[in-house]
Amino acid sequence: MMLLPCPWCGPRNAGEFKYAGEGGARPDPATTTPEEWRRYLYFHANTRGWVTESWYHGAGCRRWLVVERHTLTHEVRGVRDAVQVAREGTR
Amino acid sequence: MTSTNGNGNGHRNGRVRGYSAWSLLRHGLSRSEWPRAWHDRELRPSYDAVIIGGGVHGLATAYYLAKNHGMTNVAVLDRSYIGGGGSGRNTSILRSNYLTPEGVRFYDRSVKLYEHLAADLNFNVMFSQRGHLTLAHNDASMRTMAWRTEVNKLQGVESEVIGPDEVKELVPYLDTSAETRYPILGALYHPPGGVVRHDAVVWGYARAADAHGVHIHQKTEVTGIDVERGRVTGVQTTRGRIATPVVLNATAGWSSLISDMAGVAMPVQTFPLQAAVTEPVRPFLDTVVVSGTLHVYVSQSDRGELVFGASVDPFASYSMRGSLEFTEGIAGHVLELMPALAKMRLLRQWAGLCDMTPDYSPIMGPTPVEGFYVDVGWGTYGFKAGPVSGEAMAACLAEEKPPEIISAFGLDRFLSGRLVGEKGAAAVGH
Ligand SMILES: Cc1cc2nc3c(=O)[nH]c(=O)nc-3n(C[C@H](O)[C@H](O)[C@H](O)COP(=O)(O)OP(=O)(O)OC[C@H]3O[C@@H](n4cnc5c(N)ncnc54)[C@H](O)[C@@H]3O)c2cc1C
Ligand SMILES: [Zn+2]
C-alpha cells in the first residue's frame, strides 16, 4: 500500500500506523466560541498535493510522527518525531 | 413514444426516440444503427445554470431542472467522461433503512423514485429489489438494529430484526453456527433494498436530460469560479469561460477542490473506497449481505459475479489505486461469512473517491456565496440518493430555496451543531 520511513524503525507498511490526519491550530477551549470550536473540529483543507499530517506508529515504536505526504501520488518526503518537531517548533 | 426529431434542436419535449420491444425488434431485424443516446453540443458562452460533475447527482439534477421546472438552458460539465467518478465505480446497493428520521425519509423517497425510474426515463435501469440483510455479531449491533427498525417503521419503511435461523433460510450459504470468530446473532432485514445497474442510471439520466435540451460537455474541466461581490458570475474551464448566475458543485470526491475555487470551506475529507468482483458463477445469493463488524458486504450481480465492498481506506487520498491489504482483508472476511467460497477467484478490483463528512450525511443547499450551491458529502453511500437529490436540488436551484426534504442537510449545520448522525447506518461503504 504505502511505506512510511519511520525515523526509529525504518521503512514500514502504512498498515502499522494509525492515521490522524491534517491538524490545525487548536483554539483555546477557555476562550473559543462554540462556532469556532466546530470549525476546528469539522472543517478540513482536504488538500490534493503535499500535506503535513500526524501518524502514530502503534505497531512499532509507538511514537507520534509528523509526515509530509502527497495525497495524490503517495510520495513521502519526510517523517519526523512529533516531539522533536514540537521542541524545534518547525512543523 | 417514437416521435422522431428531424431538426437539430427539436428535443424539447420528451424523448428523441423511445426504446421499446418494438424498436428492439425493428433494429434487430434491419441491423440499423441505434441513434446516439446523447449528443455533443456546441459550448455556449453562457447558461442559466452550470452543473459541475457528470455523475448521477449532476445529471439527475439537470434532468429534473428541465422536466419539473422548465429550465433547459443548463450545462453539465465533466472533466472526464460521465459516470467516470463514483457513479461508475460503486456497488449499486439501494436501501432506505437509515438511523435518523430525516435520513430515512430522504432515502425512502429515492427508493420510490427508483421504483419508477425505468418507465420515467424509458431506460431499463434493472432495479432488483431483492432484500438487504445487515448482520449483527454483537449486542451493540443488535441494539442499533432494533433502534433502526423502530425509526424505519415510524417512517413507513419495511424493516425488521430477524434471528439466525431466518437468516440461514434467506442465505443458506452463510455460516450461522456458533463456532465462528464472530457468530451471527441476528440481522436487520430490509425487503425493499436491492441493487440497480449503475451505468444504466447514469446513461438514462444523460439521455433524458439531453432530450430535454440540456447540454452535456465531457472533457471539460472547471479550473476556476468567478465570484463578484459575493455572487457567482461564471466558471473558468479548460475550454474557456462560461457566464452563469447559478453553479452547482456535484463533484463528490473532488468537491473540496471546487468549493475552494469559490472560497467556501467544507467539512469534507476525501478517502478512497475499494470494491472487487469474482468470476461469475450460477445464481445462489439473491439478497444483499452486509456485516458491519467484519467491514464487508456481498451481492451477486445479474451476470453471476460476486460483488464485494468494504469500508474506506484507512487514510485520506485522491489516488484511485487498489491495494493488496484490501484484497487480503476482504477475502478473509468473506470466507468467515461463507466458507464455501474458498475456491472462487477474484477477477478485478478498483477504487473510487468518497467525500466523507463528520456525520455520514450529505451536504445539500446554498452556501455563503450567492448562486453557488453544493450537493456533496456523498461518502460511500450516495448512489442510492441520485434521484431524490436530483429532484430536490433542481427545486432548490429553480426556487432559490431548499425544499423541506433536504432542509436538515444544509452546510450551516456544521457551525450550528445540528448534525444528522448516520454513522451507525452508513459506516460500511454502500
Ligand atoms: C467502491 C464504491 C462503492 C460504492 N458503493 C455504493 C453503494 O453500494 N450504494 C451507494 O448508494 N453508494 C455507493 N458508493 C458511493 C457512490 O458511488 C457515490 O456517493 C456517488 O456515485 C456520488 O455521485 P456523484 O454524482 O455525486 O459524484 P461522481 O459520480 O463521483 O461524479 C463526480 C464527477 O465530477 C467530475 N469532476 C471532478 N472534478 C471536476 C472538475 N474540476 N471539473 C469538471 N468535472 C469534475 C468527475 O470527473 C466525476 O465524473 C460507492 C462508492 C465507491 C467508490
Ligand atoms: Zn516507529
Short mmCIF file of all heavy atoms in Angstrom, two decimals, chain B residues 98-133:
data_model
loop_
_atom_site.label_atom_id
_atom_site.label_comp_id
_atom_site.label_asym_id
_atom_site.label_seq_id
_atom_site.Cartn_x
_atom_site.Cartn_y
_atom_site.Cartn_z
N TYR B 98 -32.08 3.72 7.18
CA TYR B 98 -31.11 4.54 7.92
C TYR B 98 -31.53 4.71 9.37
O TYR B 98 -32.44 4.02 9.86
CB TYR B 98 -30.91 5.86 7.17
CG TYR B 98 -29.93 5.70 6.02
CD1 TYR B 98 -30.29 5.02 4.86
CD2 TYR B 98 -28.63 6.14 6.14
CE1 TYR B 98 -29.39 4.84 3.83
CE2 TYR B 98 -27.71 5.95 5.11
CZ TYR B 98 -28.09 5.30 3.97
OH TYR B 98 -27.18 5.11 2.97
N LEU B 99 -30.85 5.63 10.06
CA LEU B 99 -30.99 5.71 11.52
C LEU B 99 -31.79 6.92 11.98
O LEU B 99 -32.48 6.87 12.99
CB LEU B 99 -29.57 5.76 12.10
CG LEU B 99 -29.35 5.65 13.58
CD1 LEU B 99 -29.93 4.35 14.11
CD2 LEU B 99 -27.84 5.68 13.87
N THR B 100 -31.69 8.04 11.26
CA THR B 100 -32.39 9.26 11.68
C THR B 100 -33.68 9.40 10.86
O THR B 100 -33.74 8.98 9.71
CB THR B 100 -31.53 10.51 11.42
OG1 THR B 100 -31.36 10.67 10.01
CG2 THR B 100 -30.17 10.38 12.09
N PRO B 101 -34.72 10.02 11.44
CA PRO B 101 -35.97 10.23 10.68
C PRO B 101 -35.71 11.03 9.40
O PRO B 101 -36.26 10.70 8.35
CB PRO B 101 -36.84 11.03 11.65
CG PRO B 101 -36.28 10.76 13.01
CD PRO B 101 -34.82 10.47 12.84
N GLU B 102 -34.82 12.03 9.47
CA GLU B 102 -34.52 12.85 8.28
C GLU B 102 -33.91 11.98 7.19
O GLU B 102 -34.25 12.10 6.02
CB GLU B 102 -33.52 13.97 8.62
CG GLU B 102 -34.01 15.00 9.62
CD GLU B 102 -33.74 14.58 11.06
OE1 GLU B 102 -33.41 13.40 11.32
OE2 GLU B 102 -33.88 15.44 11.96
N GLY B 103 -32.97 11.13 7.60
CA GLY B 103 -32.28 10.26 6.65
C GLY B 103 -33.24 9.24 6.04
O GLY B 103 -33.28 9.06 4.82
N VAL B 104 -34.03 8.58 6.87
CA VAL B 104 -34.92 7.53 6.39
C VAL B 104 -35.92 8.11 5.39
O VAL B 104 -36.13 7.56 4.31
CB VAL B 104 -35.67 6.87 7.57
CG1 VAL B 104 -36.68 5.86 7.05
CG2 VAL B 104 -34.67 6.19 8.50
N ARG B 105 -36.51 9.25 5.73
CA ARG B 105 -37.50 9.89 4.85
C ARG B 105 -36.87 10.22 3.49
O ARG B 105 -37.44 9.99 2.44
CB ARG B 105 -37.95 11.20 5.52
CG ARG B 105 -39.41 11.49 5.37
CD ARG B 105 -39.78 12.74 6.16
NE ARG B 105 -39.60 12.60 7.59
CZ ARG B 105 -39.12 13.58 8.39
NH1 ARG B 105 -38.78 14.75 7.89
NH2 ARG B 105 -39.01 13.37 9.68
N PHE B 106 -35.66 10.77 3.56
CA PHE B 106 -34.95 11.20 2.35
C PHE B 106 -34.61 10.01 1.44
O PHE B 106 -34.97 9.99 0.26
CB PHE B 106 -33.69 11.95 2.79
CG PHE B 106 -32.76 12.33 1.68
CD1 PHE B 106 -33.05 13.40 0.86
CD2 PHE B 106 -31.60 11.61 1.46
CE1 PHE B 106 -32.19 13.76 -0.18
CE2 PHE B 106 -30.72 11.96 0.44
CZ PHE B 106 -31.03 13.03 -0.37
N TYR B 107 -33.97 8.99 2.01
CA TYR B 107 -33.56 7.85 1.18
C TYR B 107 -34.77 7.04 0.70
O TYR B 107 -34.74 6.42 -0.36
CB TYR B 107 -32.57 6.96 1.94
CG TYR B 107 -31.23 7.63 2.15
CD1 TYR B 107 -30.84 8.11 3.39
CD2 TYR B 107 -30.36 7.82 1.07
CE1 TYR B 107 -29.61 8.74 3.58
CE2 TYR B 107 -29.13 8.44 1.25
CZ TYR B 107 -28.76 8.90 2.50
OH TYR B 107 -27.55 9.53 2.68
N ASP B 108 -35.85 7.06 1.49
CA ASP B 108 -37.04 6.32 1.07
C ASP B 108 -37.65 6.96 -0.17
O ASP B 108 -38.13 6.27 -1.07
CB ASP B 108 -38.07 6.30 2.21
CG ASP B 108 -39.25 5.41 1.86
OD1 ASP B 108 -39.00 4.29 1.38
OD2 ASP B 108 -40.40 5.84 2.05
N ARG B 109 -37.62 8.29 -0.23
CA ARG B 109 -38.12 8.97 -1.44
C ARG B 109 -37.30 8.51 -2.66
O ARG B 109 -37.83 8.34 -3.74
CB ARG B 109 -38.03 10.49 -1.24
CG ARG B 109 -38.32 11.33 -2.48
CD ARG B 109 -39.79 11.34 -2.83
NE ARG B 109 -40.03 11.99 -4.12
CZ ARG B 109 -41.05 11.70 -4.94
NH1 ARG B 109 -41.94 10.79 -4.60
NH2 ARG B 109 -41.19 12.33 -6.08
N SER B 110 -36.01 8.30 -2.46
CA SER B 110 -35.16 7.87 -3.57
C SER B 110 -35.54 6.46 -4.03
O SER B 110 -35.63 6.19 -5.23
CB SER B 110 -33.68 7.92 -3.17
OG SER B 110 -32.89 8.36 -4.25
N VAL B 111 -35.75 5.55 -3.07
CA VAL B 111 -36.16 4.19 -3.45
C VAL B 111 -37.46 4.25 -4.25
O VAL B 111 -37.60 3.57 -5.27
CB VAL B 111 -36.30 3.29 -2.19
CG1 VAL B 111 -36.96 1.97 -2.55
CG2 VAL B 111 -34.94 3.04 -1.55
N LYS B 112 -38.39 5.10 -3.81
CA LYS B 112 -39.67 5.24 -4.53
C LYS B 112 -39.44 5.74 -5.96
O LYS B 112 -40.05 5.26 -6.91
CB LYS B 112 -40.60 6.21 -3.79
CG LYS B 112 -40.98 5.74 -2.39
CD LYS B 112 -42.23 4.85 -2.41
CE LYS B 112 -42.31 3.88 -1.25
NZ LYS B 112 -42.18 4.50 0.08
N LEU B 113 -38.54 6.72 -6.10
CA LEU B 113 -38.25 7.24 -7.45
C LEU B 113 -37.58 6.16 -8.30
O LEU B 113 -37.86 6.02 -9.50
CB LEU B 113 -37.37 8.49 -7.38
CG LEU B 113 -38.07 9.77 -6.88
CD1 LEU B 113 -37.06 10.86 -6.59
CD2 LEU B 113 -39.08 10.27 -7.92
N TYR B 114 -36.69 5.38 -7.68
CA TYR B 114 -36.03 4.29 -8.41
C TYR B 114 -37.04 3.25 -8.90
O TYR B 114 -36.88 2.66 -9.96
CB TYR B 114 -34.98 3.60 -7.53
CG TYR B 114 -33.57 4.15 -7.70
CD1 TYR B 114 -32.88 4.72 -6.64
CD2 TYR B 114 -32.92 4.06 -8.94
CE1 TYR B 114 -31.59 5.21 -6.80
CE2 TYR B 114 -31.63 4.54 -9.09
CZ TYR B 114 -30.97 5.12 -8.02
OH TYR B 114 -29.70 5.59 -8.20
N GLU B 115 -38.09 3.02 -8.11
CA GLU B 115 -39.08 2.01 -8.48
C GLU B 115 -39.74 2.34 -9.82
O GLU B 115 -40.17 1.46 -10.55
CB GLU B 115 -40.13 1.85 -7.37
CG GLU B 115 -39.59 1.05 -6.19
CD GLU B 115 -40.51 1.04 -4.99
OE1 GLU B 115 -41.54 1.75 -5.01
OE2 GLU B 115 -40.18 0.35 -4.00
N HIS B 116 -39.83 3.63 -10.14
CA HIS B 116 -40.48 4.03 -11.39
C HIS B 116 -39.50 4.62 -12.40
O HIS B 116 -39.91 5.17 -13.41
CB HIS B 116 -41.59 5.04 -11.11
CG HIS B 116 -42.63 4.51 -10.18
ND1 HIS B 116 -43.59 3.62 -10.60
CD2 HIS B 116 -42.82 4.69 -8.86
CE1 HIS B 116 -44.35 3.29 -9.57
NE2 HIS B 116 -43.90 3.92 -8.50
N LEU B 117 -38.21 4.52 -12.10
CA LEU B 117 -37.23 5.23 -12.91
C LEU B 117 -37.14 4.69 -14.34
O LEU B 117 -37.02 5.47 -15.30
CB LEU B 117 -35.85 5.18 -12.23
CG LEU B 117 -34.86 6.23 -12.73
CD1 LEU B 117 -35.40 7.63 -12.47
CD2 LEU B 117 -33.50 6.06 -12.05
N ALA B 118 -37.21 3.37 -14.49
CA ALA B 118 -37.07 2.79 -15.83
C ALA B 118 -38.17 3.34 -16.74
O ALA B 118 -37.91 3.75 -17.88
CB ALA B 118 -37.13 1.27 -15.74
N ALA B 119 -39.40 3.38 -16.23
CA ALA B 119 -40.52 3.89 -17.03
C ALA B 119 -40.36 5.39 -17.26
O ALA B 119 -40.58 5.90 -18.37
CB ALA B 119 -41.84 3.61 -16.33
N ASP B 120 -39.94 6.10 -16.22
CA ASP B 120 -39.81 7.55 -16.31
C ASP B 120 -38.76 7.94 -17.35
O ASP B 120 -38.95 8.86 -18.14
CB ASP B 120 -39.44 8.09 -14.92
CG ASP B 120 -39.46 9.61 -14.87
OD1 ASP B 120 -40.05 10.23 -15.77
OD2 ASP B 120 -38.88 10.17 -13.92
N LEU B 121 -37.63 7.22 -17.36
CA LEU B 121 -36.52 7.58 -18.26
C LEU B 121 -36.59 6.83 -19.59
O LEU B 121 -35.79 7.09 -20.48
CB LEU B 121 -35.18 7.28 -17.60
CG LEU B 121 -34.83 8.00 -16.29
CD1 LEU B 121 -33.47 7.56 -15.79
CD2 LEU B 121 -34.87 9.51 -16.47
N ASN B 122 -37.50 5.88 -19.71
CA ASN B 122 -37.53 4.99 -20.87
C ASN B 122 -36.16 4.33 -21.06
O ASN B 122 -35.56 4.35 -22.12
CB ASN B 122 -37.96 5.76 -22.14
CG ASN B 122 -37.94 4.89 -23.39
OD1 ASN B 122 -37.30 5.24 -24.38
ND2 ASN B 122 -38.59 3.76 -23.36
N PHE B 123 -35.63 3.80 -19.97
CA PHE B 123 -34.30 3.18 -19.99
C PHE B 123 -34.30 2.11 -18.90
O PHE B 123 -34.62 2.40 -17.75
CB PHE B 123 -33.24 4.24 -19.67
CG PHE B 123 -31.88 3.92 -20.22
CD1 PHE B 123 -31.36 4.64 -21.29
CD2 PHE B 123 -31.10 2.91 -19.65
CE1 PHE B 123 -30.10 4.36 -21.80
CE2 PHE B 123 -29.83 2.63 -20.16
CZ PHE B 123 -29.33 3.36 -21.23
N ASN B 124 -33.98 0.88 -19.25
CA ASN B 124 -34.02 -0.20 -18.26
C ASN B 124 -32.87 -0.07 -17.27
O ASN B 124 -31.72 -0.33 -17.62
CB ASN B 124 -33.94 -1.56 -18.96
CG ASN B 124 -34.14 -2.71 -17.99
OD1 ASN B 124 -34.33 -2.48 -16.79
ND2 ASN B 124 -34.09 -3.92 -18.50
N VAL B 125 -33.18 0.33 -16.03
CA VAL B 125 -32.11 0.50 -15.04
C VAL B 125 -31.94 -0.75 -14.18
O VAL B 125 -31.12 -0.78 -13.28
CB VAL B 125 -32.36 1.74 -14.13
CG1 VAL B 125 -32.31 3.01 -14.95
CG2 VAL B 125 -33.65 1.63 -13.35
N MET B 126 -32.70 -1.80 -14.48
CA MET B 126 -32.53 -3.11 -13.85
C MET B 126 -32.53 -3.05 -12.32
O MET B 126 -31.66 -3.63 -11.68
CB MET B 126 -31.23 -3.76 -14.36
CG MET B 126 -31.23 -3.93 -15.87
SD MET B 126 -29.61 -4.32 -16.55
CE MET B 126 -29.48 -6.05 -16.19
N PHE B 127 -33.48 -2.33 -11.76
CA PHE B 127 -33.60 -2.27 -10.30
C PHE B 127 -34.16 -3.60 -9.81
O PHE B 127 -35.25 -4.00 -10.19
CB PHE B 127 -34.51 -1.10 -9.90
CG PHE B 127 -34.63 -0.89 -8.41
CD1 PHE B 127 -33.71 -1.42 -7.52
CD2 PHE B 127 -35.67 -0.11 -7.89
CE1 PHE B 127 -33.81 -1.20 -6.15
CE2 PHE B 127 -35.79 0.11 -6.54
CZ PHE B 127 -34.86 -0.44 -5.66
N SER B 128 -33.40 -4.28 -8.97
CA SER B 128 -33.81 -5.58 -8.44
C SER B 128 -33.95 -5.48 -6.93
O SER B 128 -32.97 -5.46 -6.20
CB SER B 128 -32.75 -6.62 -8.85
OG SER B 128 -32.69 -7.66 -7.93
N GLN B 129 -35.20 -5.41 -6.46
CA GLN B 129 -35.45 -5.28 -5.01
C GLN B 129 -35.43 -6.64 -4.36
O GLN B 129 -36.46 -7.24 -4.08
CB GLN B 129 -36.78 -4.55 -4.79
CG GLN B 129 -36.68 -3.09 -5.19
CD GLN B 129 -37.94 -2.31 -4.90
OE1 GLN B 129 -38.90 -2.43 -5.63
NE2 GLN B 129 -37.92 -1.51 -3.85
N ARG B 130 -34.21 -7.12 -4.12
CA ARG B 130 -34.04 -8.49 -3.67
C ARG B 130 -33.93 -8.64 -2.17
O ARG B 130 -33.77 -9.73 -1.66
CB ARG B 130 -32.78 -9.05 -4.33
CG ARG B 130 -31.57 -8.18 -4.04
CD ARG B 130 -30.35 -8.69 -4.73
NE ARG B 130 -30.47 -8.67 -6.18
CZ ARG B 130 -29.52 -9.09 -7.01
NH1 ARG B 130 -28.41 -9.58 -6.54
NH2 ARG B 130 -29.69 -9.03 -8.31
N GLY B 131 -33.98 -7.53 -1.43
CA GLY B 131 -33.86 -7.59 0.02
C GLY B 131 -32.43 -7.37 0.47
O GLY B 131 -31.48 -7.68 -0.25
N HIS B 132 -32.29 -6.81 1.67
CA HIS B 132 -30.99 -6.37 2.17
C HIS B 132 -30.88 -6.81 3.62
O HIS B 132 -31.76 -6.56 4.44
CB HIS B 132 -30.95 -4.84 2.04
CG HIS B 132 -29.69 -4.20 2.50
ND1 HIS B 132 -29.40 -4.00 3.84
CD2 HIS B 132 -28.65 -3.67 1.81
CE1 HIS B 132 -28.22 -3.39 3.93
NE2 HIS B 132 -27.75 -3.18 2.72
N LEU B 133 -29.78 -7.51 3.94
CA LEU B 133 -29.57 -8.04 5.29
C LEU B 133 -28.33 -7.43 5.90
O LEU B 133 -27.24 -7.51 5.33
CB LEU B 133 -29.28 -9.54 5.20
CG LEU B 133 -30.41 -10.55 5.23
CD1 LEU B 133 -29.80 -11.95 5.16
CD2 LEU B 133 -31.24 -10.40 6.48
#
